[in-house]
Amino acid sequence: MLQWLPENVSTFGQSVDSLFYGIYYLTLVVFILVMGTLIVFLIKYRHQEGKRADYIEGSTTLEITWTAATTVIVFGLAMLSYPQWNNIKSPTQFPENPDVVVQVSGKQFNWDMTYPGPDNEFGTDDDLDLENELHVPINAVVHIRLTAEDVIHSFFVPQLRLKQDALPNRFIDVWFEATKAGRYEIPCAELCGFGHSGMLGYLNVHTQDDYDAWVQERWPQ
Amino acid sequence: MHDNEHASHHHEESFISKYIFSLDHKTIGKQFLIYGLIMFFLGGGLALLFRWQLAYPEKPLPIIGASQQYMDEGEVVTGADRMWERIYESEKEEWLEVNMPNGVVEPAFYNMLFTMHATIMVFFVVVPILVGAFGNFLIPLMIGTRDMAFPVLNMLSFWLAVVAAIVMTVGFFVPGGHAAAGWTGYAPLSSDAQWTGVDWGQNLWAISLLIQGFSSLVGSINYITTIINMRAPGMTFFRLPLVVWSLFIVAILLLLAFPVLSSALALLIFDRLAGTTFFTATAEGGGDPLLWQHLFWFFGHPEVYILILPGMGIASELIAVFSRKPIFGYRSMVYAMISIAFLGWIVWGHHMFQSGMRPGLGSVFMTTTMLIAVPSAIKTFNWLGTMFRGAIKFTTPMLHGIAFVSMFVIGGLSGIYMANTPVDIFIHDTYYIVAHIHYVVFGGSLFAIFGGIIFWFPKMYGRYMNDVLSKIHFWLTFVAFNCTFFPMHILGVGGHMRRISNPMQYEFLQGFEGMNIFITMSAFTLGFAQLILVFNFFWSIYRGKVAEQNPWQVTTLEWEAPTPVPHGNFGQIPTVYRGPYEYSVPGEEHDWTPQAQPEHAPATSGD
Ligand code: HEM
Ligand SMILES: [Cu+2]
Ligand SMILES: [Cu+2]
């Protein structure tokens, strides 16, 4: 089933995928065991003429065993996930000194990208506004200041394993580092009105040279 | 509708007080059941409309859609073309013209369709049937009393639900269309008409849910009081059948959860009509869109357990009865339900991992959510334990019970993926969630409902449902259900967002066209299979084989009452001597020992 996952092109995507695979195999095993037991029981203990069911009211040992076992497994899973989650979503744990900072703002039904320009400050003359096109270099830490103008949208790049809702009047920081050049779609993943379907931007991951050329073209020195 | 012959030992009633404004819990239960079945068709029909659009985006619907020639050249060829021609020529803005010109579902209409599909299914089908129908019909019978504690409140609860359904239906026809912000109604999309163009539709949505909230509140007070105060002599709490336990817990959840939704809805109405900004962040301050999400999910997560707990209860009855065995770990089943009811209050944030809520909170909610998977697992193992060394009879209700368990296993396991915050980053707001919802609510609750209807039908109407039709319905539903919803997991893994009307607009979803068509085909099969159930239901009320008093040889008290059950239920209130699941007791002549059978007396036979 997991071969349907889009290709992963972000540094942290691998950790998401590992958890995904881990849970997949775990749940697959549990599913096969439970269903297997069920089917065996259904066949073996089907009603047969002249045979009565055994009067069994339960087993405290079994109850304790399976309660403890499931608790340990799900807590173990949670333990494994805290660091990955923090690494992706907690601003205090983001890699510092980003190579690129962009503000992305969702509005019905486009993504507005704002680059701060060479002075690295938003709201100055050298800012660059682009509609639905995000340009970043490969293997570089990108910080995004995510916001929205009207309703809630959600910034989703399947190949980066990144999704974050964008809220009006709030700035939420997200980061990523892309590992493969290419052009990726940025669908909106949160219902935002009649144009929600088809609200689509693009993430262009450039090689360093291409990116430098793009910067040069936009802010000639 | 055959109660009349036997009801004579109670006072005679007029038609109105007997069938319309009835105070009898059984009639009210049946009213809720029929209400739920009618709404089930409305909700299902909406789903088929939007499924068509997902499989064949921008293509006209079958039958009512215009022909290609008509759309290309304006040439009228089919009857549908003539209809569209008339609609376009008419002066006024016809409903069909606005929402689906030529039979093509418009994006705004699409949003309204899925919003109303979910709203109707959750609030007007599953809760009314599980809680309204089964709760009303079963509680007094199973605890051994003559009626609910407050019969008038009970009637009020039903008629409030009718008013809510009417208000909700009117919403389809107001200018601007019905609510289109999802069943979760996220603000500010829902709180300001300028973002959707939906005007009174959203208001009526909120008002209708407020009324439905009152209905549930009144009903739940009644259930709680009845169960606490009116149990038959000897019916201790730990002798209650699990379905009564589940309804008791659900009534408490409803009582506590619905007021939260009601206050959120009231604030929403203020935002929309009085210009307040509870859910809008303005530059000057104002409120916060996340407040809506917190309030909604603080209600919403208990609500999803309201949707499943009675299903668990019904499945427990079916599995014990048809395995001819006591429930494995009865007490642990009760404790599992109680812990679900407690934990259910502290997991709501798992719907908000990607919402912008502080990431640290995400970790907290992941932990509590993982915890709530434990009682769910306990229940599953206990169902298996109940079948272990049983004598399993594959009656149609039992098939539904088994389907319930297997589908719930899939739904529970898929919950683990989403409870895992990093994985949820990817699958949140994709079809993976849609698959999960349907495995728990359709695969779980609805299979329990179907099984429960067939199981208790003989007590409700004094007749059996036709078994051949029931079996056909079961297998068609089981296969079509899995063909419809299992592939949605795969769509989700592929990143396919939910709530989009045209997946073909995205490069990365091109590969899913075939799968979407397959899902739609299965969904139509699933939808039409339900016609069999409804036909069987109404046909059997009048034509079904007449049933004896205790056809499935069950121990619980509802089967002590004569069939059809008269007004007042029991001739003499039974006394309870034992727990609800005394099946295959060694040394007993029969393999069921009724709760009301005195110690050391010969078993009363069921016919
Ligand atoms: C093992 C137990 C369960 C776990 C761990 C679990 C976990 C979750 C999580 C984490 C979500 C949010 C996913 C997201 O939006 O990203 C979710 C959604 C949902 N769950 Fe469950 N769940 C469980 C059982 C149930 C049950 C029993 C029901 C109902 C009968 C249910 C109904 C729903 C519904 C309706 C939604 C979607 C709401 C929406 O966004 O429209 N779940 N579940
Ligand atoms: Cu959107
Ligand atoms: Cu939840």
Side-chain angles (χ1 to χ4, degrees), chain B residues 464-590:
Chain B
Y464 288 98
M465 279 175 73
N466 181 293
D467 196 47
V468 175
L469 287 180
S470 298
K471 283 226 161 67
I472 296 175
H473 166 255
F474 170 78
W475 285 110
L476 270 178
T477 305
F478 186 76
V479 173
F481 165 79
N482 280 291
C483 289
T484 306
F485 295 107
F486 197 83
M488 290 188 186
H489 292 107
I490 299 175
L491 294 183
V493 170
H496 193 312
M497 292 80 68
R498 67 195 280 201
R499 296 172 172 175
I500 53 170
S501 60
N502 184 354
M504 291 301 111
Q505 290 165 315
Y506 303 86
E507 201 59 50
F508 78 110
L509 298 179
Q510 294 302 317
F512 288 117
E513 187 172 17
M515 201 174 286
N516 266 323
I517 292 175
F518 176 75
I519 291 175
T520 295
M521 295 297 174
S522 311
F524 273 82
T525 314
L526 184 61
F528 284 105
Q530 305 319 307
L531 293 175
I532 304 176
L533 175 88
V534 168
F535 169 77
N536 190 1
F537 182 86
F538 288 105
W539 184 82
S540 302
I541 290 180
Y542 299 101
R543 290 284 142 78
K545 197 171 115 225
V546 174
E548 53 274 41
Q549 183 189 330
N550 186 0
W552 317 104
Q553 309 185 323
V554 186
T555 56
T556 42
L557 295 184
E558 77 272 29
W559 305 98
E560 299 290 328
T563 296
V565 190
H567 196 56
N569 297 347
F570 302 96
Q572 193 191 346
I573 291 293
T575 303
V576 174
Y577 296 93
R578 56 181 64 74
Y581 301 110
E582 295 298 293
Y583 292 99
S584 304
V585 181
E588 290 282 341
E589 183 192 342
H590 293 291

Side-chain angles (χ1 to χ4, degrees), chain B residues 297 300-302 304-305 347-348 350-351 369:
Chain B
W297 289 118
H301 191 85
V304 305
Y305 278 101
V347 299
W348 81 91
H350 65 214
H351 297 275
T369 305

Side-chain angles (χ1 to χ4, degrees), chain A:
Chain A
M1 188 162 94
L2 293 189
Q3 71 272 19
W4 292 91
L5 268 173
E7 181 188 14
N8 165 48
V9 302
S10 79
T11 47
F12 55 64
Q14 197 49 51
S15 67
V16 171
D17 287 4
S18 309
L19 280 166
F20 213 149
Y21 274 92
I23 300 175
Y24 176 65
Y25 289 118
L26 177 75
T27 51
L28 192 66
V29 169
V30 173
F31 177 72
I32 291 173
L33 286 179
V34 171
M35 284 301 140
T37 316
L38 178 67
I39 290 167
V40 168
F41 283 7
L42 291 181
I43 296 171
K44 211 165 155 203
Y45 304 120
R46 69 189 181 280
H47 176 76
Q48 285 157 317
E49 233 19 85
K51 223 174 124 208
R52 261 205 191 192
D54 284 353
Y55 184 82
I56 307 170
E57 284 183 292
S59 152
T60 315
T61 329
L62 273 179
E63 301 288 347
I64 293 174
T65 316
W66 60 50
T67 308
T70 27
T71 313
V72 169
I73 291 174
V74 293
F75 266 111
L77 206 55
M79 293 293 190
L80 286 177
S81 317
Y82 299 131
Q84 323 296 350
W85 168 250
N86 285 332
N87 175 30
I88 301 169
K89 288 282 175 111
S90 286
T92 52
Q93 310 220 356
F94 289 179
E96 279 164 31
N97 305 321
D99 301 293
V100 181
V101 178
V102 196
Q103 178 178 310
V104 174
S105 175
K107 63 159 197 243
Q108 287 184 334
F109 299 99
N110 287 296
W111 294 110
D112 279 347
M113 322 291 184
T114 308
Y115 284 80
D119 67 354
N120 263 325
E121 276 190 45
F122 289 105
T124 51
D125 285 344
D126 63 351
D127 285 9
L128 170 68
D129 289 321
L130 294 175
E131 193 155 88
N132 291 326
E133 296 288 339
L134 185 59
H135 297 269
V136 302
I138 190 171
N139 297 329
V141 172
V142 180
H143 277 199
I144 290 186
R145 270 173 40 140
L146 193 57
T147 187
E149 274 174 40
D150 34 41
V151 298
I152 301 176
H153 303 269
S154 189
F155 181 84
F156 180 29
V157 187
Q159 289 85 350
L160 293 179
R161 307 293 185 261
L162 180 60
K163 184 183 287 128
Q164 175 60 56
D165 286 5
L167 298 165
N169 272 297
R170 233 191 236 227
F171 292 89
I172 297 169
D173 289 321
V174 288
W175 80 281
F176 64 85
E177 181 179 335
T179 56
K180 189 174 167 193
R183 186 170 158 87
Y184 307 101
E185 283 166 300
I186 314 177
C188 171
E190 184 68 65
L191 177 64
C192 56
F194 59 83
H196 168 58
S197 188
M199 173 169 170
L200 187 56
Y202 292 91
L203 167 68
N204 301 282
V205 179
H206 301 285
T207 58
Q208 193 62 49
D209 290 348
D210 283 357
Y211 184 73
D212 292 341
W214 179 79
V215 171
Q216 192 56 41
E217 187 191 320
R218 293 293 164 158
W219 292 279
Q221 277 160 4

Side-chain angles (χ1 to χ4, degrees), chain B residues 211-509:
Chain B
I211 302 171
Q212 194 73 334
F214 277 115
S215 159
S216 291
L217 210 64
V218 169
S220 56
I221 291 171
N222 214 347
Y223 292 179
I224 296 170
T225 316
T226 308
I227 294 173
I228 292 181
N229 288 329
M230 299 175 63
R231 282 165 291 124
M235 181 62 95
T236 59
F237 267 94
F238 280 111
R239 283 178 179 172
L240 286 176
L242 287 177
V243 69
V244 177
W245 261 111
S246 72
L247 289 162
F248 181 55
I249 293 170
V250 159
I252 297 173
L253 290 181
L254 274 173
L255 185 70
L256 301 176
F258 242 109
V260 180
L261 178 67
S262 302
S263 18
L265 290 168
L267 298 182
L268 185 72
I269 292 173
F270 287 144
D271 271 12
R272 292 183 63 86
L273 296 179
T276 56
T277 57
F278 290 108
F279 302 127
T280 312
T282 62
E284 305 83 55
D288 188 338
L290 285 191
L291 175 62
W292 169 267
Q293 294 184 29
H294 281 293
L295 291 173
F296 185 85
W297 289 118
F298 187 76
F299 147 81
H301 191 85
E303 167 74 12
V304 305
Y305 278 101
I306 291 165
L307 300 175
I308 195 76
L309 282 171
M312 292 174 160
I314 293 172
S316 303
E317 303 301 321
L318 299 177
I319 289 169
V321 169
F322 294 110
S323 303
R324 312 308 290 167
K325 267 194 66 201
I327 279 284
F328 194 90
Y330 169 86
R331 281 190 186 232
S332 107
M333 287 298 237
V334 174
Y335 295 137
M337 284 197 278
I338 294 176
S339 40
I340 286 176
F342 272 103
L343 291 172
W345 296 103
I346 51 169
V347 299
W348 81 91
H350 65 214
H351 297 275
M352 299 172 62
F353 288 147
Q354 322 310 333
S355 69
M357 179 179 78
R358 241 178 88 159
L361 277 175
S363 296
V364 175
F365 281 115
M366 161 163 62
T367 314
T368 55
T369 305
M370 289 287 183
L371 255 186
I372 208 169
V374 175
S376 307
I378 296 176
K379 296 202 70 91
T380 307
F381 293 137
N382 280 318
W383 285 316
L384 290 181
T386 306
M387 293 183 225
F388 174 65
R389 304 180 79 144
I392 301 169
K393 292 185 182 161
F394 294 98
T395 59
T396 319
M398 181 62 172
L399 294 180
H400 286 93
I402 298 166
F404 173 94
V405 175
S406 3
M407 299 301 96
F408 181 72
V409 168
I410 297 181
L413 290 176
S414 66
I416 309 259
Y417 292 72
M418 299 152 18
N420 192 270
T421 43
V423 176
D424 186 67
I425 296 174
F426 185 75
I427 55 182
H428 174 66
D429 266 327
T430 67
Y431 264 84
Y432 202 89
I433 312 302
V434 181
H436 167 74
I437 301 173
H438 289 89
Y439 265 87
V440 284
V441 183
F442 197 137
S445 316
L446 267 176
F447 274 111
I449 287 175
F450 296 152
I453 291 177
I454 302 168
F455 182 67
W456 279 294
F457 195 85
K459 198 45 78 182
M460 289 185 176
Y461 294 103
R463 291 167 187 269
Y464 288 98
M465 279 175 73
N466 181 293
D467 196 47
V468 175
L469 287 180
S470 298
K471 283 226 161 67
I472 296 175
H473 166 255
F474 170 78
W475 285 110
L476 270 178
T477 305
F478 186 76
V479 173
F481 165 79
N482 280 291
C483 289
T484 306
F485 295 107
F486 197 83
M488 290 188 186
H489 292 107
I490 299 175
L491 294 183
V493 170
H496 193 312
M497 292 80 68
R498 67 195 280 201
R499 296 172 172 175
I500 53 170
S501 60
N502 184 354
M504 291 301 111
Q505 290 165 315
Y506 303 86
E507 201 59 50
F508 78 110
L509 298 179

Side-chain angles (χ1 to χ4, degrees), chain B residues 24-244:
Chain B
D24 186 313
H25 72 99
K26 299 180 291 298
T27 309
I28 297 174
K30 290 178 202 169
Q31 287 173 326
F32 265 117
L33 182 55
I34 289 167
Y35 168 102
L37 289 176
I38 293 171
M39 297 305 277
F40 183 45
F41 272 82
L42 179 56
L46 300 176
L48 296 188
L49 288 179
F50 68 69
R51 263 323 313 178
W52 177 268
Q53 158 70 16
L54 280 169
Y56 306 105
E58 327 289 325
K59 297 236 172 57
L61 289 155
I63 302 167
I64 64 161
S67 69
Q68 200 60 46
Q69 284 99 313
Y70 180 71
M71 293 200 299
D72 293 346
E73 288 138 38
E75 181 195 342
V76 174
V77 263
T78 63
D81 295 347
R82 251 193 310 282
M83 178 187 82
W84 290 109
E85 187 84 354
R86 255 202 318 276
I87 288 175
Y88 297 137
E89 278 165 5
S90 95
E91 289 290 295
K92 70 182 208 314
E93 283 240 294
E94 300 273 356
W95 190 83
L96 283 174
E97 180 180 359
V98 177
N99 291 310
M100 38 171 153
N102 290 334
V104 178
V105 172
E106 285 280 295
F109 184 54
Y110 178 90
N111 290 353
M112 170 185 133
L113 287 174
F114 71 71
T115 299
M116 295 317 300
H117 160 71
T119 303
I120 287 174
M121 287 300 187
V122 169
F123 295 100
F124 293 86
V125 178
V126 179
V127 175
I129 295 185
L130 279 179
V131 183
F134 286 112
N136 268 308
F137 188 80
L138 294 179
I139 290 173
L141 280 169
M142 289 184 109
I143 67 173
T145 183
R146 299 200 186 279
D147 209 314
M148 285 285 180
F150 311 114
V152 178
L153 279 190
N154 209 14
M155 177 187 78
L156 189 68
S157 157
F158 176 71
W159 287 102
L160 278 173
V162 172
V163 174
I166 292 170
V167 173
M168 199 51 102
T169 312
V170 168
F172 283 101
F173 304 104
V174 297
H178 215 323
W183 81 281
T184 52
Y186 277 14
L189 192 63
S190 61
S191 66
D192 194 331
Q194 66 168 311
W195 307 128
T196 49
V198 175
D199 189 8
W200 266 89
Q202 191 81 46
N203 298 346
L204 290 177
W205 177 85
I207 292 167
S208 164
L209 290 183
L210 271 174
I211 302 171
Q212 194 73 334
F214 277 115
S215 159
S216 291
L217 210 64
V218 169
S220 56
I221 291 171
N222 214 347
Y223 292 179
I224 296 170
T225 316
T226 308
I227 294 173
I228 292 181
N229 288 329
M230 299 175 63
R231 282 165 291 124
M235 181 62 95
T236 59
F237 267 94
F238 280 111
R239 283 178 179 172
L240 286 176
L242 287 177
V243 69
V244 177

